[in-house]
Amino acid sequence: MNSTSILQGSVLGGTPLNWSIVGQRDFDGDGNSDVLWRDTSGNLGMWLMNGSAIASSTVLGNVPNNWSVVGTGDFNGDGLGDILWRDNLGNVGIWLMNGTKVVTTATVGNVPTNWVIAGSDMHGDIFWRNTTTGEVGIWVMNGTKISKTVDFGVVPLTWNLVGIGDFDNNGSTDMLWRDTSGNIGIWLMNGTTILSTAVVGNVPLTQAIAQTGDFNGDGKTDIMFVDNTGNVGVWFMDGTAILTTTTYGNIGTSWTVQALNAE
């Protein structure tokens, strides 16, 4: 992508349908996002990427299927992506990575399963939502240790935490919300302090938020939408203001945006 223009479209190859994309992050520090895969037997694999070319493909190992990849982030501040895990009993674990090598594994703690991980960012912070009470919280991480927990209180369950990113380019990760009527909201953050909240606009529920990312290179997170017929569009953001909107084209309904863990 180059802002509102598609520079290139490439088919990278095919994989058996028992493999699914479970994450994307720069795991080897070359500036390219890499692709994390998992098959139905618990095998974990990685494509190290060079732009739209696969530089290498590696199976990292096997993890029992009661553990799921729930996020990626740079938990130890080395500039390399790491992997966040959670099992079906609520245990949370981290793999510190160096490319395709697992450097360290650690169990961080246990959280009741009515709390779900809504995202993790490149600072290593983990964003939580309680699906029973509506509470919202953050774990501020220092490597594989929790340095601080913050509870922001209750948000009505009609609102879902659907993405994270730095919408105002102040170095802090903000929260993207959507309610059951299609309203879009943003919490602008300064660390773990809420600077401001705003309802940005409304989008019909036929359009899903597919990904967040900086699509025009201005350092501010933007929002990608895909509708139920395959049309792909982006809101280019400046904080809580929509600068412009663009429709890129139509990908059809047999293709999906694989956007897990994007910012």
Side-chain angles (χ1 to χ4, degrees), residues 25-91:
R25 192 69 76 176
D26 183 5
F27 289 98
D28 58 356
D30 66 352
N32 294 295
S33 288
D34 306 307
V35 185
L36 193 64
W37 294 86
R38 187 102 186 269
D39 76 1
T40 52
S41 298
N43 295 303
L44 190 71
M46 187 183 293
W47 283 1
L48 293 180
M49 303 298 298
N50 182 10
S52 60
I54 303 169
S56 67
S57 176
T58 304
V59 175
L60 307 181
N62 184 281
V63 178
N65 280 326
N66 61 318
W67 285 89
S68 300
V69 175
V70 290
T72 61
D74 182 11
F75 293 97
N76 59 349
D78 64 355
L80 305 175
D82 306 308
I83 304 173
L84 181 64
W85 295 86
R86 196 177 191 200
D87 75 3
N88 55 14
L89 298 177
N91 295 302

Coordinates of all heavy atoms in Angstrom, one line a residue, residues 25-91:
R25 N 3.7 -9.9 13.1 CA 4.6 -9.0 13.8 C 6.0 -9.1 13.2 O 6.3 -10.1 12.5 CB 4.6 -9.4 15.3 CG 5.2 -8.4 16.2 CD 4.4 -7.2 16.4 NE 3.2 -7.4 17.2 CZ 2.4 -6.4 17.5 NH1 2.6 -5.2 17.1 NH2 1.3 -6.6 18.3
D26 N 6.8 -8.2 13.4 CA 8.2 -8.3 12.9 C 9.0 -9.0 14.0 O 9.5 -8.5 15.0 CB 8.8 -6.9 12.7 CG 10.2 -6.9 12.2 OD1 10.7 -8.0 11.8 OD2 10.8 -5.8 12.1
F27 N 9.2 -10.3 13.7 CA 9.9 -11.2 14.7 C 11.4 -11.2 14.6 O 12.1 -11.5 15.5 CB 9.4 -12.6 14.5 CG 8.0 -12.8 15.0 CD1 6.9 -12.9 14.1 CD2 7.7 -13.0 16.4 CE1 5.6 -13.0 14.6 CE2 6.4 -13.2 16.8 CZ 5.3 -13.2 15.9
D28 N 11.9 -10.8 13.4 CA 13.4 -10.8 13.2 C 14.0 -9.4 13.1 O 15.2 -9.3 12.9 CB 13.8 -11.7 12.0 CG 13.1 -11.2 10.7 OD1 12.3 -10.2 10.8 OD2 13.4 -11.8 9.7
G29 N 13.2 -8.4 13.3 CA 13.7 -7.0 13.3 C 14.2 -6.4 12.0 O 15.0 -5.5 12.0
D30 N 13.7 -7.0 10.9 CA 14.2 -6.4 9.6 C 13.2 -5.4 9.0 O 13.4 -4.9 7.9 CB 14.4 -7.6 8.6 CG 13.1 -8.3 8.2 OD1 12.0 -8.0 8.8 OD2 13.1 -9.1 7.3
G31 N 12.2 -5.0 9.8 CA 11.3 -4.0 9.3 C 10.1 -4.5 8.5 O 9.2 -3.7 8.1
N32 N 10.1 -5.8 8.3 CA 9.0 -6.5 7.6 C 8.1 -7.3 8.6 O 8.6 -8.0 9.4 CB 9.5 -7.4 6.5 CG 10.2 -6.7 5.4 OD1 9.6 -5.9 4.7 ND2 11.5 -7.0 5.3
S33 N 6.8 -7.2 8.4 CA 5.9 -8.0 9.2 C 6.0 -9.4 8.8 O 6.0 -9.7 7.6 CB 4.4 -7.5 9.1 OG 4.3 -6.3 9.7
D34 N 6.1 -10.3 9.8 CA 6.2 -11.8 9.5 C 4.8 -12.4 9.9 O 4.0 -11.8 10.5 CB 7.3 -12.4 10.3 CG 8.6 -11.7 10.0 OD1 9.0 -11.5 8.9 OD2 9.3 -11.2 11.0
V35 N 4.6 -13.6 9.5 CA 3.3 -14.3 9.6 C 3.5 -15.5 10.5 O 4.3 -16.4 10.3 CB 2.7 -14.7 8.2 CG1 1.3 -15.3 8.4 CG2 2.7 -13.5 7.3
L36 N 2.6 -15.6 11.5 CA 2.6 -16.7 12.5 C 1.4 -17.6 12.1 O 0.3 -17.1 12.0 CB 2.5 -16.1 13.9 CG 2.7 -17.1 15.1 CD1 4.2 -17.5 15.0 CD2 2.4 -16.3 16.4
W37 N 1.7 -18.9 12.0 CA 0.7 -19.9 11.6 C 0.5 -20.9 12.7 O 1.4 -21.2 13.5 CB 1.2 -20.7 10.4 CG 1.3 -19.8 9.1 CD1 2.3 -19.1 8.7 CD2 0.3 -19.7 8.1 NE1 2.1 -18.5 7.5 CE2 0.8 -18.9 7.1 CE3 -1.0 -20.3 7.9 CZ2 0.1 -18.5 6.0 CZ3 -1.7 -19.9 6.8 CH2 -1.1 -19.1 5.8
R38 N -0.7 -21.6 12.8 CA -1.0 -22.7 13.7 C -1.8 -23.7 12.9 O -2.8 -23.3 12.3 CB -1.7 -22.2 14.9 CG -1.9 -23.2 16.0 CD -0.9 -23.0 17.1 NE -0.9 -24.1 18.1 CZ -1.6 -24.1 19.2 NH1 -2.4 -23.1 19.5 NH2 -1.5 -25.1 20.1
D39 N -1.5 -25.0 13.1 CA -2.4 -26.0 12.5 C -3.3 -26.6 13.5 O -3.2 -26.3 14.7 CB -1.6 -27.0 11.7 CG -0.9 -28.1 12.5 OD1 -1.0 -28.0 13.7 OD2 -0.2 -28.9 11.9
T40 N -4.2 -27.5 13.1 CA -5.2 -28.0 13.9 C -4.6 -29.1 14.9 O -5.3 -29.5 15.8 CB -6.3 -28.7 13.1 OG1 -5.8 -29.6 12.2 CG2 -7.1 -27.6 12.4
S41 N -3.4 -29.5 14.7 CA -2.7 -30.4 15.6 C -1.9 -29.7 16.7 O -1.2 -30.3 17.5 CB -1.8 -31.4 14.8 OG -2.6 -32.1 13.9
G42 N -1.8 -28.3 16.6 CA -1.1 -27.6 17.6 C 0.3 -27.1 17.1 O 1.0 -26.5 17.9
N43 N 0.7 -27.5 15.9 CA 2.0 -27.1 15.4 C 2.0 -25.6 15.1 O 1.0 -25.0 14.6 CB 2.4 -27.8 14.1 CG 2.6 -29.3 14.4 OD1 3.4 -29.7 15.2 ND2 1.8 -30.1 13.6
L44 N 3.1 -24.9 15.5 CA 3.2 -23.5 15.3 C 4.3 -23.2 14.3 O 5.4 -23.8 14.4 CB 3.6 -22.8 16.6 CG 3.6 -21.2 16.6 CD1 2.1 -20.8 16.6 CD2 4.3 -20.7 17.9
G45 N 4.0 -22.4 13.3 CA 4.9 -22.1 12.2 C 5.1 -20.6 12.0 O 4.2 -19.8 12.4
M46 N 6.1 -20.3 11.3 CA 6.4 -18.8 11.0 C 6.9 -18.7 9.6 O 7.8 -19.4 9.2 CB 7.4 -18.3 12.0 CG 7.5 -16.7 11.9 SD 8.8 -16.1 13.1 CE 8.0 -16.4 14.6
W47 N 6.4 -17.7 8.9 CA 7.0 -17.2 7.6 C 7.7 -15.9 7.9 O 7.1 -14.9 8.4 CB 5.9 -16.9 6.6 CG 5.3 -18.1 5.9 CD1 5.5 -19.4 6.1 CD2 4.3 -18.0 4.9 NE1 4.8 -20.2 5.3 CE2 4.0 -19.4 4.5 CE3 3.6 -17.0 4.3 CZ2 3.0 -19.7 3.5 CZ3 2.6 -17.3 3.3 CH2 2.4 -18.6 2.9
L48 N 9.0 -15.9 7.8 CA 9.8 -14.7 7.8 C 9.7 -14.0 6.5 O 10.0 -14.7 5.5 CB 11.2 -14.9 8.2 CG 11.4 -15.4 9.7 CD1 12.9 -15.6 9.9 CD2 10.9 -14.4 10.7
M49 N 9.2 -12.8 6.4 CA 8.9 -12.1 5.2 C 10.0 -11.1 4.8 O 10.6 -10.5 5.6 CB 7.5 -11.5 5.3 CG 6.4 -12.4 5.6 SD 6.1 -13.7 4.5 CE 5.7 -12.8 3.0
N50 N 10.1 -10.9 3.5 CA 10.8 -9.8 2.9 C 9.9 -9.1 1.9 O 9.8 -9.5 0.7 CB 12.1 -10.3 2.2 CG 12.9 -9.1 1.6 OD1 12.6 -7.9 1.9 ND2 13.9 -9.4 0.8
G51 N 9.1 -8.1 2.4 CA 8.1 -7.5 1.6 C 7.0 -8.5 1.3 O 6.5 -9.1 2.3
S52 N 6.7 -8.8 0.0 CA 5.7 -9.8 -0.3 C 6.4 -11.1 -0.7 O 5.7 -12.0 -1.2 CB 4.9 -9.3 -1.5 OG 5.7 -9.1 -2.6
A53 N 7.7 -11.3 -0.3 CA 8.3 -12.6 -0.6 C 8.6 -13.3 0.7 O 8.9 -12.7 1.7 CB 9.7 -12.3 -1.3
I54 N 8.4 -14.6 0.7 CA 8.7 -15.4 1.9 C 10.2 -15.7 1.9 O 10.7 -16.4 1.1 CB 7.9 -16.8 1.8 CG1 6.4 -16.5 1.7 CG2 8.2 -17.6 3.1 CD1 5.6 -17.8 1.4
A55 N 10.9 -15.2 2.9 CA 12.3 -15.4 3.1 C 12.6 -16.8 3.6 O 13.6 -17.4 3.2 CB 12.9 -14.3 4.0
S56 N 11.8 -17.2 4.6 CA 12.0 -18.6 5.1 C 10.7 -19.0 5.8 O 9.9 -18.2 6.2 CB 13.2 -18.6 6.1 OG 12.8 -17.9 7.3
S57 N 10.6 -20.3 5.9 CA 9.4 -21.0 6.5 C 9.9 -22.0 7.5 O 10.7 -22.8 7.2 CB 8.5 -21.6 5.5 OG 7.4 -22.3 6.1
T58 N 9.4 -21.9 8.8 CA 9.9 -22.7 9.9 C 8.8 -23.2 10.8 O 7.9 -22.4 11.1 CB 10.9 -21.9 10.8 OG1 12.0 -21.4 9.9 CG2 11.5 -22.8 11.8
V59 N 8.8 -24.4 11.1 CA 7.9 -24.9 12.2 C 8.6 -24.8 13.5 O 9.7 -25.4 13.7 CB 7.5 -26.4 11.9 CG1 6.6 -26.9 13.1 CG2 6.7 -26.5 10.6
L60 N 8.0 -24.0 14.4 CA 8.7 -23.7 15.7 C 8.5 -24.8 16.7 O 9.4 -25.0 17.6 CB 8.1 -22.4 16.3 CG 8.1 -21.2 15.4 CD1 7.5 -20.0 16.1 CD2 9.5 -20.9 14.9
G61 N 7.5 -25.6 16.6 CA 7.2 -26.7 17.6 C 5.8 -26.9 17.7 O 4.9 -26.4 17.0
N62 N 5.4 -27.7 18.7 CA 4.0 -28.1 18.9 C 3.6 -27.7 20.3 O 4.3 -27.9 21.3 CB 3.8 -29.6 18.7 CG 2.4 -30.0 18.8 OD1 1.9 -30.2 19.9 ND2 1.7 -30.2 17.7
V63 N 2.4 -27.1 20.4 CA 1.9 -26.7 21.7 C 0.5 -27.3 21.8 O -0.3 -27.2 20.9 CB 1.8 -25.2 21.8 CG1 1.1 -24.7 23.1 CG2 3.2 -24.5 21.7
P64 N 0.1 -27.9 22.9 CA -1.2 -28.5 23.1 C -2.3 -27.5 22.7 O -2.2 -26.3 23.0 CB -1.3 -29.0 24.5 CG 0.2 -29.2 24.9 CD 0.9 -28.1 24.1
N65 N -3.4 -28.1 22.1 CA -4.5 -27.2 21.7 C -5.3 -26.5 22.8 O -6.2 -25.7 22.5 CB -5.4 -28.0 20.7 CG -4.8 -28.1 19.3 OD1 -4.1 -27.2 18.8 ND2 -5.0 -29.2 18.7
N66 N -5.0 -26.9 24.0 CA -5.7 -26.2 25.1 C -5.0 -24.8 25.3 O -5.5 -24.0 26.1 CB -5.7 -26.9 26.4 CG -4.3 -27.3 26.9 OD1 -3.4 -27.6 26.2 ND2 -4.1 -27.2 28.2
W67 N -3.9 -24.5 24.6 CA -3.3 -23.2 24.6 C -3.5 -22.6 23.2 O -3.4 -23.2 22.2 CB -1.8 -23.3 24.8 CG -1.4 -23.6 26.2 CD1 -1.2 -24.8 26.8 CD2 -1.1 -22.6 27.2 NE1 -0.9 -24.7 28.1 CE2 -0.7 -23.3 28.4 CE3 -1.0 -21.2 27.2 CZ2 -0.4 -22.7 29.6 CZ3 -0.6 -20.6 28.4 CH2 -0.3 -21.3 29.6
S68 N -3.9 -21.3 23.2 CA -4.1 -20.5 22.0 C -3.2 -19.3 22.0 O -2.9 -18.7 23.0 CB -5.6 -20.0 22.0 OG -6.5 -21.1 22.0
V69 N -2.8 -18.9 20.8 CA -2.1 -17.6 20.6 C -3.1 -16.5 20.6 O -4.1 -16.5 19.8 CB -1.4 -17.6 19.2 CG1 -0.8 -16.2 19.0 CG2 -0.3 -18.7 19.2
V70 N -3.0 -15.6 21.6 CA -4.0 -14.5 21.8 C -3.4 -13.2 21.5 O -4.1 -12.2 21.6 CB -4.6 -14.6 23.2 CG1 -5.5 -15.8 23.3 CG2 -3.5 -14.6 24.3
G71 N -2.1 -13.1 21.1 CA -1.6 -11.8 20.9 C -0.1 -11.9 20.6 O 0.6 -12.9 20.7
T72 N 0.5 -10.8 20.1 CA 1.9 -10.6 19.9 C 2.3 -9.2 20.4 O 1.5 -8.3 20.5 CB 2.3 -10.8 18.4 OG1 1.7 -9.8 17.7 CG2 2.0 -12.2 17.9
G73 N 3.6 -9.1 20.7 CA 4.0 -7.8 21.2 C 5.5 -7.9 21.5 O 6.1 -9.0 21.5
D74 N 6.1 -6.7 21.8 CA 7.5 -6.7 22.2 C 7.6 -6.6 23.7 O 7.7 -5.5 24.2 CB 8.3 -5.6 21.5 CG 9.8 -5.6 21.8 OD1 10.3 -6.5 22.4 OD2 10.4 -4.6 21.5
F75 N 7.6 -7.7 24.4 CA 7.5 -7.7 25.9 C 8.8 -7.4 26.6 O 8.8 -6.9 27.7 CB 7.0 -9.0 26.4 CG 5.5 -9.3 25.9 CD1 5.3 -10.1 24.8 CD2 4.5 -8.7 26.6 CE1 4.0 -10.3 24.4 CE2 3.2 -8.9 26.2 CZ 2.9 -9.7 25.1
N76 N 10.0 -7.6 25.9 CA 11.2 -7.3 26.6 C 12.0 -6.2 25.9 O 13.1 -5.9 26.3 CB 12.1 -8.6 26.6 CG 12.4 -9.1 25.2 OD1 11.8 -8.7 24.2 ND2 13.3 -10.0 25.1
G77 N 11.3 -5.4 25.0 CA 11.9 -4.2 24.5 C 13.1 -4.4 23.6 O 13.9 -3.4 23.5
D78 N 13.3 -5.5 23.0 CA 14.4 -5.8 22.1 C 14.1 -5.5 20.6 O 15.0 -5.7 19.8 CB 15.0 -7.2 22.2 CG 14.0 -8.3 21.8 OD1 12.8 -7.9 21.5 OD2 14.4 -9.4 21.8
G79 N 12.9 -5.0 20.3 CA 12.5 -4.6 19.0 C 12.0 -5.8 18.2 O 11.7 -5.7 17.0
L80 N 11.9 -7.0 18.8 CA 11.5 -8.2 18.1 C 10.1 -8.6 18.7 O 9.9 -8.6 19.9 CB 12.5 -9.3 18.3 CG 14.0 -9.0 17.9 CD1 14.9 -10.2 18.2 CD2 14.1 -8.7 16.4
G81 N 9.3 -9.1 17.8 CA 8.0 -9.6 18.2 C 8.1 -10.8 19.1 O 8.9 -11.7 18.9
D82 N 7.2 -10.9 20.1 CA 7.1 -12.1 21.0 C 5.6 -12.6 20.9 O 4.8 -11.9 20.3 CB 7.4 -11.7 22.4 CG 8.8 -11.0 22.5 OD1 9.8 -11.6 22.0 OD2 8.9 -9.9 23.1
I83 N 5.4 -13.7 21.5 CA 4.1 -14.4 21.4 C 3.4 -14.5 22.7 O 4.0 -15.0 23.7 CB 4.3 -15.8 20.7 CG1 5.0 -15.7 19.4 CG2 2.9 -16.5 20.5 CD1 5.4 -17.0 18.8
L84 N 2.1 -14.1 22.7 CA 1.3 -14.2 24.0 C 0.3 -15.4 23.8 O -0.4 -15.5 22.8 CB 0.5 -12.9 24.1 CG -0.4 -12.7 25.3 CD1 0.5 -12.7 26.6 CD2 -1.2 -11.4 25.2
W85 N 0.3 -16.2 24.9 CA -0.5 -17.4 24.9 C -1.5 -17.4 26.0 O -1.3 -16.7 27.1 CB 0.4 -18.7 25.1 CG 1.4 -19.0 24.1 CD1 2.6 -18.4 23.9 CD2 1.2 -19.9 23.0 NE1 3.3 -19.0 22.8 CE2 2.4 -19.9 22.2 CE3 0.2 -20.7 22.6 CZ2 2.6 -20.7 21.1 CZ3 0.3 -21.5 21.4 CH2 1.5 -21.5 20.7
R86 N -2.6 -18.1 25.9 CA -3.5 -18.3 27.0 C -4.2 -19.7 26.8 O -4.5 -20.1 25.7 CB -4.6 -17.3 27.0 CG -5.3 -17.3 28.4 CD -6.4 -16.2 28.4 NE -6.8 -16.0 29.8 CZ -8.0 -15.4 30.1 NH1 -8.8 -14.9 29.2 NH2 -8.3 -15.3 31.4
D87 N -4.3 -20.4 28.0 CA -4.9 -21.7 27.9 C -6.4 -21.6 28.3 O -6.9 -20.6 28.7 CB -4.2 -22.8 28.7 CG -4.3 -22.7 30.2 OD1 -5.1 -21.9 30.7 OD2 -3.7 -23.5 30.9
N88 N -7.1 -22.8 28.2 CA -8.6 -22.7 28.5 C -8.9 -22.7 30.0 O -10.1 -22.7 30.3 CB -9.3 -23.9 27.8 CG -8.7 -25.2 28.1 OD1 -7.9 -25.4 29.1 ND2 -9.1 -26.3 27.4
L89 N -7.9 -22.7 30.8 CA -8.1 -22.5 32.3 C -7.8 -21.0 32.7 O -8.0 -20.7 33.9 CB -7.3 -23.4 33.1 CG -7.5 -24.9 32.9 CD1 -6.5 -25.8 33.7 CD2 -9.0 -25.3 33.2
G90 N -7.4 -20.2 31.8 CA -7.1 -18.8 32.1 C -5.7 -18.5 32.3 O -5.3 -17.3 32.6
N91 N -4.8 -19.5 32.2 CA -3.3 -19.2 32.4 C -2.8 -18.4 31.2 O -3.2 -18.7 30.1 CB -2.6 -20.5 32.5 CG -2.9 -21.3 33.8 OD1 -2.8 -20.8 34.9 ND2 -3.4 -22.5 33.6

